[in-house]
Coordinates of all heavy atoms in Angstrom, one line a residue:
M860 N 10.2 1.5 -11.3 CA 9.0 1.6 -12.2 C 7.8 1.1 -11.5 O 7.7 -0.1 -11.2 CB 9.3 0.9 -13.5 CG 8.3 1.3 -14.6 SD 8.7 3.0 -15.3 CE 7.4 3.1 -16.5
K861 N 6.8 1.9 -11.3 CA 5.6 1.5 -10.6 C 4.6 0.8 -11.5 O 3.8 0.0 -11.0 CB 4.9 2.7 -9.9 CG 5.8 3.2 -8.8 CD 5.1 4.3 -8.1 CE 5.9 4.7 -6.8 NZ 5.4 5.8 -6.1
I862 N 4.7 1.1 -12.8 CA 3.8 0.5 -13.7 C 4.5 -0.6 -14.5 O 5.6 -0.4 -14.9 CB 3.1 1.6 -14.6 CG1 2.3 2.5 -13.8 CG2 2.3 0.9 -15.7 CD1 1.7 3.7 -14.5
K863 N 3.8 -1.7 -14.7 CA 4.5 -2.8 -15.4 C 3.6 -3.2 -16.6 O 2.4 -2.9 -16.7 CB 4.6 -4.0 -14.5 CG 5.6 -3.8 -13.3 CD 5.9 -5.1 -12.6 CE 7.0 -4.9 -11.7 NZ 6.7 -5.1 -10.3
T864 N 4.2 -4.0 -17.5 CA 3.5 -4.5 -18.7 C 2.3 -5.3 -18.2 O 2.4 -6.0 -17.2 CB 4.5 -5.4 -19.5 OG1 5.7 -4.7 -19.7 CG2 3.9 -5.7 -20.9
N865 N 1.2 -5.2 -18.9 CA 0.0 -5.9 -18.7 C -0.9 -5.3 -17.5 O -2.0 -5.7 -17.3 CB 0.2 -7.4 -18.4 CG 0.5 -8.1 -19.7 OD1 0.1 -7.7 -20.8 ND2 1.4 -9.1 -19.5
D866 N -0.4 -4.2 -16.9 CA -1.2 -3.5 -15.9 C -2.3 -2.8 -16.7 O -2.2 -2.4 -17.8 CB -0.4 -2.4 -15.2 CG 0.5 -3.0 -14.1 OD1 0.3 -4.1 -13.7 OD2 1.4 -2.3 -13.7
K867 N -3.5 -2.7 -16.0 CA -4.5 -1.9 -16.5 C -4.4 -0.5 -15.9 O -4.3 -0.4 -14.7 CB -5.9 -2.6 -16.2 CG -6.9 -2.3 -17.3 CD -8.3 -2.9 -16.9 CE -9.3 -2.2 -17.7 NZ -10.7 -2.4 -17.0
V868 N -4.4 0.5 -16.8 CA -4.3 1.8 -16.3 C -5.3 2.8 -16.7 O -6.0 2.5 -17.8 CB -2.9 2.4 -16.6 CG1 -1.7 1.7 -16.0 CG2 -2.7 2.5 -18.1
K869 N -5.5 3.8 -16.0 CA -6.4 4.9 -16.4 C -5.6 6.2 -16.6 O -4.7 6.5 -15.8 CB -7.5 5.1 -15.3 CG -8.5 6.2 -15.7 CD -9.6 6.3 -14.6 CE -10.6 7.3 -15.0 NZ -12.0 6.7 -15.1
V870 N -5.8 6.8 -17.7 CA -5.1 8.1 -18.0 C -5.7 9.2 -17.3 O -7.0 9.4 -17.3 CB -5.1 8.3 -19.5 CG1 -4.3 9.6 -19.9 CG2 -4.6 7.1 -20.3
V871 N -4.9 10.0 -16.6 CA -5.5 11.1 -15.7 C -5.1 12.5 -16.2 O -5.5 13.5 -15.7 CB -5.1 10.9 -14.3 CG1 -5.8 9.7 -13.7 CG2 -3.6 10.8 -14.1
A872 N -4.3 12.5 -17.3 CA -3.9 13.8 -17.8 C -3.6 13.7 -19.3 O -3.4 12.6 -19.8 CB -2.7 14.4 -17.1
G873 N -3.7 14.8 -20.0 CA -3.4 14.8 -21.4 C -4.7 14.6 -22.3 O -5.8 14.6 -21.8
K874 N -4.5 14.4 -23.6 CA -5.6 14.4 -24.5 C -6.5 13.1 -24.4 O -7.6 13.1 -24.8 CB -5.1 14.6 -25.9 CG -4.4 13.4 -26.5 CD -4.0 13.7 -28.0 CE -3.1 12.6 -28.5 NZ -3.7 11.4 -29.1
D875 N -5.9 12.1 -23.8 CA -6.7 10.8 -23.6 C -7.2 10.7 -22.2 O -7.5 9.6 -21.7 CB -5.9 9.6 -24.1 CG -5.7 9.6 -25.6 OD1 -6.7 9.8 -26.2 OD2 -4.7 9.3 -26.1
R876 N -7.2 11.8 -21.5 CA -7.7 11.7 -20.1 C -9.0 11.0 -19.9 O -9.9 11.2 -20.7 CB -7.8 13.2 -19.6 CG -7.9 13.3 -18.2 CD -7.9 14.8 -17.8 NE -8.5 14.8 -16.4 CZ -9.1 15.8 -15.9 NH1 -9.3 16.9 -16.5 NH2 -9.6 15.7 -14.7
G877 N -9.1 10.1 -18.9 CA -10.3 9.4 -18.7 C -10.3 8.0 -19.3 O -11.2 7.2 -19.0
K878 N -9.5 7.8 -20.3 CA -9.5 6.5 -21.0 C -8.7 5.4 -20.2 O -7.8 5.8 -19.4 CB -8.8 6.6 -22.4 CG -9.7 7.4 -23.4 CD -9.1 7.3 -24.8 CE -9.8 8.2 -25.7 NZ -9.1 8.3 -27.0
E879 N -9.1 4.2 -20.5 CA -8.4 3.1 -19.8 C -7.8 2.1 -20.8 O -8.3 2.0 -21.9 CB -9.4 2.3 -19.0 CG -10.0 3.1 -17.8 CD -11.1 2.4 -17.1 OE1 -11.3 1.2 -17.4 OE2 -11.6 3.1 -16.2
G880 N -6.8 1.5 -20.5 CA -6.2 0.5 -21.4 C -5.1 -0.3 -20.7 O -4.8 -0.1 -19.5
K881 N -4.6 -1.3 -21.5 CA -3.6 -2.2 -21.0 C -2.2 -1.8 -21.4 O -2.0 -1.4 -22.5 CB -3.9 -3.6 -21.5 CG -3.2 -4.7 -20.7 CD -3.6 -6.1 -21.3 CE -2.7 -6.4 -22.5 NZ -3.0 -7.8 -23.0
V882 N -1.3 -1.8 -20.5 CA 0.1 -1.4 -20.7 C 0.8 -2.5 -21.6 O 0.8 -3.6 -21.3 CB 0.9 -1.2 -19.4 CG1 2.4 -0.8 -19.7 CG2 0.2 -0.2 -18.5
I883 N 1.3 -2.0 -22.8 CA 2.0 -3.0 -23.6 C 3.5 -2.9 -23.6 O 4.2 -3.8 -24.1 CB 1.4 -3.0 -25.1 CG1 1.2 -1.5 -25.6 CG2 0.1 -3.7 -25.1 CD1 0.6 -1.5 -27.0
Q884 N 4.0 -1.7 -23.2 CA 5.4 -1.5 -23.1 C 5.8 -0.5 -22.1 O 5.0 0.4 -21.8 CB 5.9 -1.0 -24.5 CG 7.2 -1.6 -25.0 CD 7.6 -1.1 -26.3 OE1 6.8 -0.6 -27.1 NE2 8.9 -1.2 -26.7
V885 N 6.9 -0.7 -21.4 CA 7.4 0.3 -20.4 C 8.8 0.7 -20.8 O 9.6 -0.1 -21.2 CB 7.3 -0.2 -18.9 CG1 5.9 -0.4 -18.5 CG2 8.1 -1.4 -18.7
F886 N 9.1 2.0 -20.5 CA 10.5 2.5 -20.7 C 10.9 3.1 -19.4 O 10.8 4.3 -19.2 CB 10.5 3.6 -21.8 CG 10.1 3.1 -23.2 CD1 8.8 3.3 -23.6 CD2 11.0 2.3 -24.0 CE1 8.4 2.8 -24.9 CE2 10.5 1.9 -25.2 CZ 9.3 2.1 -25.7
P887 N 11.5 2.2 -18.5 CA 11.8 2.7 -17.1 C 12.8 3.9 -17.1 O 12.6 4.8 -16.3 CB 12.5 1.5 -16.5 CG 12.0 0.3 -17.3 CD 11.8 0.8 -18.7
S888 N 13.7 3.9 -18.0 CA 14.7 5.0 -18.0 C 14.1 6.4 -18.3 O 14.5 7.4 -17.8 CB 15.9 4.7 -18.9 OG 15.4 4.5 -20.2
A889 N 13.1 6.3 -19.1 CA 12.4 7.6 -19.5 C 11.1 7.8 -18.7 O 10.4 8.8 -18.8 CB 12.0 7.6 -21.0
N890 N 10.8 6.8 -17.9 CA 9.5 6.8 -17.1 C 8.3 7.0 -18.0 O 7.4 7.7 -17.7 CB 9.5 7.9 -16.0 CG 8.5 7.6 -14.9 OD1 8.2 6.5 -14.6 ND2 7.8 8.7 -14.4
K891 N 8.3 6.2 -19.1 CA 7.2 6.3 -20.1 C 6.6 4.9 -20.3 O 7.3 3.9 -20.1 CB 7.7 6.9 -21.4 CG 8.0 8.4 -21.3 CD 8.3 9.0 -22.7 CE 8.2 10.5 -22.5 NZ 8.4 11.2 -23.8
I892 N 5.4 5.0 -20.7 CA 4.6 3.7 -21.0 C 3.9 3.8 -22.3 O 3.6 4.9 -22.7 CB 3.6 3.4 -19.8 CG1 2.7 4.6 -19.6 CG2 4.3 3.1 -18.5 CD1 1.5 4.3 -18.6
V893 N 3.6 2.7 -22.9 CA 2.8 2.6 -24.1 C 1.5 1.8 -23.7 O 1.6 0.7 -23.1 CB 3.5 1.9 -25.2 CG1 2.6 1.8 -26.4 CG2 4.8 2.6 -25.6
V894 N 0.4 2.4 -23.9 CA -0.9 1.8 -23.5 C -1.7 1.6 -24.8 O -1.9 2.5 -25.6 CB -1.6 2.6 -22.5 CG1 -2.9 1.9 -22.1 CG2 -0.8 2.9 -21.3
E895 N -2.3 0.3 -24.8 CA -3.2 0.0 -25.9 C -4.3 1.0 -26.2 O -5.0 1.4 -25.3 CB -3.9 -1.3 -25.5 CG -4.0 -2.4 -26.6 CD -4.4 -3.7 -26.0 OE1 -5.4 -3.7 -25.2 OE2 -3.8 -4.7 -26.3
G896 N -4.3 1.6 -27.4 CA -5.4 2.5 -27.7 C -5.2 4.0 -27.2 O -6.1 4.8 -27.4
I897 N -4.1 4.2 -26.5 CA -4.0 5.5 -25.9 C -2.8 6.3 -26.5 O -1.8 5.7 -26.9 CB -3.6 5.4 -24.4 CG1 -4.7 4.5 -23.6 CG2 -3.5 6.8 -23.7 CD1 -6.0 5.1 -23.4
N898 N -3.0 7.6 -26.7 CA -1.9 8.4 -27.3 C -1.6 7.9 -28.7 O -0.4 7.8 -29.1 CB -0.7 8.5 -26.4 CG 0.2 9.7 -26.7 OD1 -0.3 10.7 -27.2 ND2 1.4 9.6 -26.5
I899 N -2.7 7.7 -29.5 CA -2.5 7.2 -30.9 C -1.9 8.3 -31.8 O -2.4 9.4 -31.8 CB -3.9 6.7 -31.4 CG1 -4.4 5.5 -30.6 CG2 -3.8 6.4 -32.9 CD1 -3.5 4.3 -30.7
M900 N -0.9 7.9 -32.5 CA -0.3 8.8 -33.4 C -0.5 8.2 -34.8 O -0.3 7.0 -35.0 CB 1.3 8.9 -33.2 CG 1.6 9.4 -31.8 SD 1.3 11.2 -31.8 CE 1.5 11.5 -30.1
K901 N -0.7 9.1 -35.8 CA -0.9 8.6 -37.1 C 0.5 8.8 -37.8 O 1.1 9.8 -37.8 CB -2.0 9.4 -37.9 CG -3.3 9.0 -37.4 CD -4.4 9.4 -38.4 CE -5.7 8.8 -38.0 NZ -6.8 9.8 -37.8
K902 N 0.9 7.7 -38.5 CA 2.1 7.8 -39.2 C 1.9 7.5 -40.6 O 1.2 6.6 -41.0 CB 3.1 6.7 -38.6 CG 4.5 6.9 -38.9 CD 5.4 5.9 -38.2 CE 6.8 6.0 -38.6 NZ 7.7 5.0 -38.0
H903 N 2.5 8.4 -41.4 CA 2.3 8.2 -42.9 C 3.4 7.4 -43.5 O 4.6 7.8 -43.2 CB 2.2 9.6 -43.6 CG 1.0 10.4 -43.1 ND1 -0.2 10.5 -43.9 CD2 0.7 11.0 -42.0 CE1 -1.0 11.2 -43.2 NE2 -0.5 11.5 -42.0
L904 N 3.1 6.4 -44.2 CA 4.2 5.6 -44.8 C 4.2 5.9 -46.3 O 3.2 5.9 -47.0 CB 3.9 4.1 -44.6 CG 4.0 3.5 -43.2 CD1 3.8 2.0 -43.3 CD2 5.4 3.8 -42.6
R905 N 5.4 6.2 -46.8 CA 5.5 6.4 -48.2 C 5.4 5.1 -49.0 O 5.7 4.0 -48.4 CB 6.9 7.0 -48.5 CG 7.1 8.4 -48.1 CD 8.5 8.7 -48.1 NE 8.8 10.1 -47.6 CZ 8.7 11.1 -48.3 NH1 8.4 11.0 -49.6 NH2 8.9 12.3 -47.8
P906 N 4.9 5.2 -50.2 CA 4.8 3.9 -51.0 C 6.2 3.4 -51.2 O 7.1 4.1 -51.4 CB 4.1 4.4 -52.3 CG 4.2 5.9 -52.3 CD 4.4 6.4 -50.9
K907 N 6.3 2.1 -51.1 CA 7.6 1.5 -51.3 C 8.0 1.3 -52.7 O 9.1 1.5 -53.1 CB 7.6 0.1 -50.6 CG 7.7 0.1 -49.1 CD 7.8 -1.3 -48.5 CE 7.5 -1.3 -47.0 NZ 6.2 -1.9 -46.7
K908 N 6.9 1.0 -53.5 CA 7.2 0.9 -54.9 C 6.4 1.9 -55.7 O 5.4 2.4 -55.2 CB 6.7 -0.5 -55.4 CG 7.5 -1.7 -55.0 CD 6.9 -2.9 -55.6 CE 7.0 -4.1 -54.6 NZ 5.9 -5.1 -54.8
H909 N 6.9 2.2 -56.9 CA 6.2 3.2 -57.7 C 4.8 2.6 -58.1 O 4.7 1.5 -58.4 CB 7.0 3.4 -59.0 CG 6.6 4.5 -59.8 ND1 6.8 5.8 -59.4 CD2 5.8 4.6 -61.0 CE1 6.2 6.6 -60.3 NE2 5.6 5.9 -61.2
G910 N 3.8 3.5 -58.0 CA 2.5 3.1 -58.3 C 1.7 2.5 -57.1 O 0.5 2.4 -57.2
E911 N 2.4 2.3 -56.0 CA 1.7 1.8 -54.8 C 1.2 3.0 -54.0 O 1.8 4.1 -54.1 CB 2.7 1.1 -53.9 CG 2.3 -0.3 -53.5 CD 3.4 -0.9 -52.7 OE1 4.1 -0.3 -51.9 OE2 3.6 -2.1 -52.9
K912 N 0.1 2.8 -53.2 CA -0.4 3.9 -52.4 C 0.4 4.0 -51.1 O 0.8 3.0 -50.5 CB -1.9 3.6 -52.1 CG -2.8 4.2 -53.2 CD -4.2 4.0 -52.8 CE -5.2 4.4 -53.9 NZ -6.5 3.9 -53.6
G913 N 0.5 5.2 -50.6 CA 1.1 5.4 -49.2 C 0.0 4.9 -48.2 O -1.1 4.8 -48.5
Q914 N 0.5 4.6 -47.0 CA -0.4 4.1 -46.0 C -0.4 5.0 -44.8 O 0.6 5.6 -44.5 CB 0.0 2.7 -45.6 CG -0.4 1.6 -46.5 CD 0.0 0.3 -45.9 OE1 -0.5 -0.1 -44.8 NE2 0.9 -0.4 -46.5
I915 N -1.5 5.0 -44.1 CA -1.4 5.7 -42.8 C -1.6 4.6 -41.7 O -2.6 3.8 -41.7 CB -2.6 6.7 -42.6 CG1 -2.4 7.8 -43.7 CG2 -2.6 7.3 -41.3 CD1 -3.6 8.7 -43.8
I916 N -0.6 4.5 -40.8 CA -0.8 3.5 -39.8 C -0.9 4.2 -38.4 O -0.4 5.3 -38.3 CB 0.4 2.5 -39.7 CG1 1.7 3.2 -39.6 CG2 0.3 1.5 -40.9 CD1 2.8 2.3 -39.2
E917 N -1.7 3.6 -37.6 CA -1.9 4.2 -36.3 C -1.1 3.5 -35.2 O -1.2 2.2 -35.2 CB -3.4 4.2 -35.9 CG -4.2 5.1 -36.8 CD -5.6 5.2 -36.4 OE1 -6.1 4.5 -35.5 OE2 -6.3 6.1 -36.9
L918 N -0.3 4.2 -34.4 CA 0.3 3.4 -33.4 C 0.3 4.2 -32.1 O 0.2 5.4 -32.0 CB 1.7 3.0 -33.8 CG 2.6 3.9 -34.6 CD1 3.5 4.7 -33.7 CD2 3.4 3.1 -35.5
A919 N 0.3 3.4 -31.0 CA 0.2 4.0 -29.7 C 1.6 4.5 -29.3 O 2.6 3.7 -29.4 CB -0.2 2.9 -28.6
A920 N 1.8 5.7 -29.0 CA 3.1 6.3 -28.7 C 3.3 6.4 -27.2 O 2.3 6.4 -26.4 CB 3.1 7.7 -29.2
P921 N 4.5 6.3 -26.8 CA 4.8 6.4 -25.3 C 4.4 7.7 -24.7 O 4.5 8.7 -25.4 CB 6.3 6.2 -25.2 CG 6.8 5.8 -26.6 CD 5.8 6.2 -27.6
F922 N 4.0 7.7 -23.5 CA 3.7 8.9 -22.8 C 4.1 8.8 -21.3 O 4.4 7.7 -20.9 CB 2.2 9.4 -22.9 CG 1.2 8.4 -22.2 CD1 0.8 8.6 -21.0 CD2 0.8 7.3 -22.9 CE1 -0.1 7.7 -20.4 CE2 -0.1 6.3 -22.3 CZ -0.5 6.6 -21.1
S923 N 4.2 9.9 -20.6 CA 4.7 9.8 -19.2 C 3.8 8.9 -18.3 O 2.6 9.1 -18.2 CB 4.7 11.2 -18.6 OG 5.1 11.2 -17.3
A924 N 4.5 8.1 -17.6 CA 3.9 7.2 -16.6 C 3.2 8.0 -15.5 O 2.3 7.5 -14.9 CB 4.8 6.2 -16.0
A925 N 3.6 9.2 -15.3 CA 3.0 10.1 -14.3 C 1.6 10.5 -14.7 O 0.8 10.9 -13.8 CB 3.9 11.3 -14.1
N926 N 1.2 10.3 -15.9 CA -0.1 10.6 -16.4 C -1.1 9.5 -16.3 O -2.2 9.6 -16.8 CB -0.1 11.2 -17.8 CG 0.6 12.5 -17.9 OD1 0.8 13.2 -16.9 ND2 0.9 13.0 -19.1
A927 N -0.7 8.4 -15.7 CA -1.5 7.2 -15.6 C -1.6 6.6 -14.2 O -0.6 6.7 -13.5 CB -1.0 6.1 -16.6
L928 N -2.7 6.1 -13.8 CA -2.9 5.5 -12.6 C -3.2 4.0 -12.8 O -4.0 3.7 -13.7 CB -4.0 6.1 -11.7 CG -3.8 7.5 -11.2 CD1 -5.1 7.9 -10.5 CD2 -2.6 7.6 -10.3
I929 N -2.7 3.1 -12.0 CA -3.1 1.7 -12.1 C -4.5 1.5 -11.7 O -4.9 2.2 -10.7 CB -2.1 0.9 -11.3 CG1 -0.7 0.8 -12.0 CG2 -2.7 -0.5 -11.0 CD1 0.2 -0.1 -11.3
I930 N -5.2 0.6 -12.4 CA -6.5 0.3 -11.9 C -6.4 -1.0 -11.1 O -5.9 -2.0 -11.6 CB -7.5 0.1 -13.0 CG1 -7.7 1.4 -13.8 CG2 -8.9 -0.4 -12.5 CD1 -8.4 1.2 -15.1
C931 N -6.7 -0.9 -9.8 CA -6.6 -2.0 -8.9 C -7.6 -3.1 -9.3 O -8.8 -2.8 -9.4 CB -6.8 -1.6 -7.5 SG -7.0 -2.9 -6.3
E932 N -7.1 -4.4 -9.4 CA -8.1 -5.4 -9.8 C -8.9 -5.9 -8.6 O -10.0 -6.5 -8.8 CB -7.3 -6.6 -10.4 CG -6.2 -7.1 -9.5 CD -5.3 -8.1 -10.2 OE1 -5.4 -8.2 -11.5 OE2 -4.4 -8.7 -9.6
K933 N -8.5 -5.5 -7.4 CA -9.3 -5.9 -6.2 C -10.5 -5.0 -6.0 O -11.6 -5.4 -5.8 CB -8.4 -6.0 -5.0 CG -7.2 -6.9 -5.1 CD -7.6 -8.3 -4.7 CE -6.6 -9.4 -5.1 NZ -5.2 -9.0 -4.9
C934 N -10.2 -3.7 -6.0 CA -11.3 -2.7 -5.7 C -11.8 -2.0 -6.9 O -12.8 -1.3 -6.9 CB -10.9 -1.7 -4.6 SG -9.5 -0.6 -5.1
G935 N -11.1 -2.2 -8.1 CA -11.5 -1.6 -9.3 C -11.4 -0.1 -9.5 O -11.9 0.5 -10.4
K936 N -10.6 0.5 -8.6 CA -10.4 1.9 -8.6 C -9.0 2.3 -9.1 O -8.1 1.6 -8.8 CB -10.6 2.5 -7.2 CG -12.0 2.4 -6.7 CD -12.1 3.0 -5.3 CE -13.5 2.8 -4.7 NZ -13.5 2.6 -3.3
P937 N -8.9 3.4 -9.8 CA -7.6 3.9 -10.2 C -6.9 4.3 -8.9 O -7.4 5.0 -8.0 CB -7.9 5.1 -11.1 CG -9.3 5.4 -11.0 CD -10.0 4.3 -10.2
T938 N -5.6 3.9 -8.8 CA -4.9 4.2 -7.5 C -3.4 4.5 -7.8 O -2.9 4.1 -8.8 CB -5.0 3.0 -6.6 OG1 -4.3 3.3 -5.4 CG2 -4.5 1.7 -7.2
R939 N -2.8 5.2 -6.8 CA -1.4 5.3 -6.9 C -0.9 4.0 -6.2 O -1.6 3.3 -5.5 CB -0.9 6.5 -6.0 CG -1.4 7.8 -6.7 CD -0.7 9.0 -6.2 NE -1.3 10.2 -6.8 CZ -1.0 10.6 -8.1 NH1 -0.1 10.0 -8.8 NH2 -1.7 11.6 -8.6
V940 N 0.4 3.7 -6.5 CA 1.0 2.5 -6.1 C 1.8 2.7 -4.8 O 2.6 3.7 -4.7 CB 1.9 1.9 -7.2 CG1 2.6 0.6 -6.7 CG2 1.0 1.5 -8.4
G941 N 1.6 1.9 -3.8 CA 2.5 1.9 -2.6 C 3.3 0.6 -2.6 O 3.1 -0.2 -3.5
Y942 N 4.1 0.5 -1.6 CA 4.9 -0.7 -1.5 C 4.8 -1.3 -0.1 O 4.7 -0.5 0.9 CB 6.4 -0.5 -1.8 CG 6.6 -0.2 -3.3 CD1 6.7 1.1 -3.7 CD2 6.7 -1.3 -4.2 CE1 6.9 1.4 -5.1 CE2 6.9 -1.0 -5.5 CZ 7.0 0.3 -6.0 OH 7.2 0.5 -7.3
R943 N 4.8 -2.6 0.0 CA 4.8 -3.2 1.3 C 5.5 -4.5 1.2 O 5.6 -5.1 0.2 CB 3.3 -3.5 1.8 CG 3.3 -3.7 3.3 CD 2.0 -4.3 3.9 NE 0.8 -3.9 3.2 CZ -0.2 -4.7 3.1 NH1 -0.1 -6.0 3.6 NH2 -1.3 -4.4 2.5
L944 N 6.2 -4.9 2.3 CA 6.9 -6.2 2.3 C 6.0 -7.3 2.5 O 5.1 -7.3 3.3 CB 8.0 -6.2 3.4 CG 9.2 -5.3 3.2 CD1 10.1 -5.3 4.4 CD2 10.0 -5.8 2.0
D945 N 6.2 -8.3 1.6 CA 5.5 -9.6 1.8 C 6.5 -10.6 2.0 O 7.2 -11.1 1.1 CB 4.7 -9.9 0.5 CG 3.9 -11.2 0.6 OD1 3.6 -11.6 1.7 OD2 3.5 -11.8 -0.5
G946 N 6.7 -11.0 3.3 CA 7.9 -11.8 3.6 C 9.1 -10.9 3.4 O 9.2 -9.8 4.0
D947 N 10.1 -11.3 2.6 CA 11.2 -10.5 2.3 C 11.2 -9.8 0.9 O 12.1 -9.2 0.5 CB 12.5 -11.2 2.5 CG 12.6 -12.5 1.6 OD1 11.6 -12.7 0.9 OD2 13.6 -13.2 1.7
K948 N 10.0 -9.9 0.3 CA 9.9 -9.3 -1.0 C 9.0 -8.0 -1.0 O 8.0 -8.0 -0.3 CB 9.1 -10.3 -2.0 CG 10.1 -11.2 -2.7 CD 9.3 -12.1 -3.7 CE 9.5 -11.7 -5.1 NZ 8.9 -12.6 -6.1
K949 N 9.5 -7.0 -1.6 CA 8.8 -5.7 -1.7 C 7.8 -5.9 -2.8 O 8.1 -6.1 -3.9 CB 9.8 -4.6 -2.0 CG 9.2 -3.3 -1.6 CD 10.3 -2.2 -1.6 CE 10.2 -1.4 -2.8 NZ 11.2 -0.2 -2.9
K950 N 6.5 -5.7 -2.4 CA 5.5 -5.8 -3.4 C 4.7 -4.6 -3.5 O 4.6 -3.8 -2.6 CB 4.5 -7.0 -3.1 CG 5.1 -8.3 -3.4 CD 4.0 -9.4 -3.3 CE 4.5 -10.7 -3.7 NZ 3.5 -11.8 -3.4
R951 N 4.0 -4.4 -4.7 CA 3.2 -3.2 -4.9 C 1.9 -3.4 -4.2 O 1.3 -4.5 -4.2 CB 3.0 -3.0 -6.4 CG 4.3 -2.8 -7.2 CD 4.0 -2.5 -8.6 NE 3.3 -3.6 -9.3 CZ 2.7 -3.4 -10.5 NH1 2.8 -2.3 -11.1 NH2 2.0 -4.4 -11.0
I952 N 1.4 -2.3 -3.7 CA 0.0 -2.4 -3.1 C -0.8 -1.2 -3.6 O -0.3 -0.2 -4.1 CB 0.0 -2.3 -1.5 CG1 0.7 -1.0 -1.1 CG2 0.6 -3.5 -0.9 CD1 0.3 -0.6 0.4
C953 N -2.2 -1.5 -3.6 CA -3.1 -0.4 -3.9 C -3.2 0.5 -2.7 O -3.4 0.0 -1.6 CB -4.5 -1.1 -4.2 SG -5.9 0.0 -4.2
R954 N -3.1 1.8 -2.9 CA -3.2 2.7 -1.8 C -4.6 2.9 -1.3 O -4.8 3.4 -0.2 CB -2.7 4.1 -2.3 CG -1.2 4.2 -2.5 CD -0.5 4.8 -1.3 NE 0.9 5.0 -1.6 CZ 1.4 6.1 -2.0 NH1 0.7 7.2 -2.2 NH2 2.7 6.2 -2.3
K955 N -5.6 2.4 -2.1 CA -7.0 2.6 -1.7 C -7.4 1.5 -0.8 O -7.9 1.7 0.3 CB -7.9 2.7 -2.9 CG -7.6 3.9 -3.8 CD -8.8 4.8 -3.9 CE -8.5 6.2 -4.4 NZ -8.5 6.2 -5.9
C956 N -7.2 0.2 -1.2 CA -7.7 -0.9 -0.5 C -6.6 -1.7 0.2 O -6.8 -2.6 1.0 CB -8.6 -1.9 -1.3 SG -7.6 -2.8 -2.6
K957 N -5.3 -1.3 0.0 CA -4.2 -1.9 0.7 C -3.9 -3.3 0.2 O -3.1 -4.0 0.9 CB -4.3 -1.8 2.2 CG -4.7 -0.4 2.8 CD -3.6 0.6 2.5 CE -4.0 2.0 3.1 NZ -3.3 3.1 2.5
E958 N -4.5 -3.8 -0.8 CA -4.3 -5.1 -1.3 C -3.0 -5.2 -2.2 O -2.7 -4.2 -2.8 CB -5.5 -5.7 -2.0 CG -6.7 -5.9 -1.2 CD -6.6 -7.1 -0.4 OE1 -5.8 -8.0 -0.6 OE2 -7.4 -7.2 0.6
F959 N -2.4 -6.3 -2.2 CA -1.3 -6.4 -3.1 C -1.7 -6.4 -4.6 O -2.8 -6.9 -4.9 CB -0.5 -7.8 -2.9 CG 0.2 -7.8 -1.6 CD1 -0.1 -8.6 -0.6 CD2 1.3 -7.0 -1.4 CE1 0.6 -8.7 0.6 CE2 2.1 -7.0 -0.2 CZ 1.7 -7.8 0.8
I960 N -0.9 -5.8 -5.4 CA -1.2 -5.8 -6.9 C -0.2 -6.8 -7.5 O 1.0 -6.7 -7.3 CB -1.0 -4.4 -7.4 CG1 -2.0 -3.4 -6.8 CG2 -1.1 -4.4 -9.0 CD1 -1.7 -2.0 -7.2
A961 N -0.7 -7.7 -8.3 CA 0.1 -8.7 -8.9 C 1.2 -8.1 -9.8 O 1.0 -7.1 -10.5 CB -0.8 -9.7 -9.7
Ligands
ZN329 ZN1 -7.6 -1.6 -4.5

């Protein structure tokens, strides 16, 4: 998984194209991510008790990680992720400025 929780990403496809947000959840097996404020779905809740009003809640739904690019904190640009060895650890790097991404 190239994108991790708390990464800042830019959406590059779909209805929220161009928006940016923080990753709050990742689903590596499905290659999907949940990003704050992106891909908002409205969910209608039925009233629990008689006489109560139903509610509409908005929640960020998972979408394909392929539709998002990480925003590099060093150069501030959306970028694809590369990998480079730092000692014996494989770390993510920004393809634009070649700096390590935390
Ligand atoms: Zn960079």
Side-chain angles (χ1 to χ4, degrees):
M860 196 74 184
K861 291 185 171 178
I862 295 176
K863 295 191 168 118
T864 311
N865 289 328
D866 281 344
K867 210 180 159 202
V868 296
K869 185 175 182 123
V870 183
V871 292
K874 71 180 170 83
D875 287 319
R876 195 173 162 209
K878 288 189 189 170
E879 296 174 5
K881 198 176 83 176
V882 178
I883 45 182
Q884 220 179 339
V885 294
F886 300 98
S888 57
N890 199 37
K891 287 189 167 181
I892 56 174
V893 179
V894 181
E895 225 169 46
I897 308 288
N898 202 26
I899 295 297
M900 298 286 170
K901 286 196 171 127
K902 199 175 174 182
H903 297 256
L904 291 184
R905 283 164 186 278
K907 286 184 195 111
K908 286 181 218 149
H909 192 72
E911 232 178 39
K912 274 187 187 164
Q914 281 183 63
I915 298 171
I916 54 167
E917 295 187 344
L918 37 97
F922 63 97
S923 173
N926 290 349
L928 292 178
I929 284 184
I930 297 169
C931 170
E932 53 192 10
K933 302 273 165 44
C934 66
K936 291 177 186 148
T938 179
R939 297 196 183 278
V940 175
Y942 289 97
R943 200 192 328 146
L944 286 175
D945 181 21
D947 57 358
K948 271 184 108 176
K949 200 166 103 174
K950 284 195 175 171
R951 301 186 300 166
I952 59 159
C953 166
R954 289 260 186 96
K955 295 243 167 81
C956 67
K957 311 296 181 199
E958 292 285 341
F959 288 113
I960 296 170

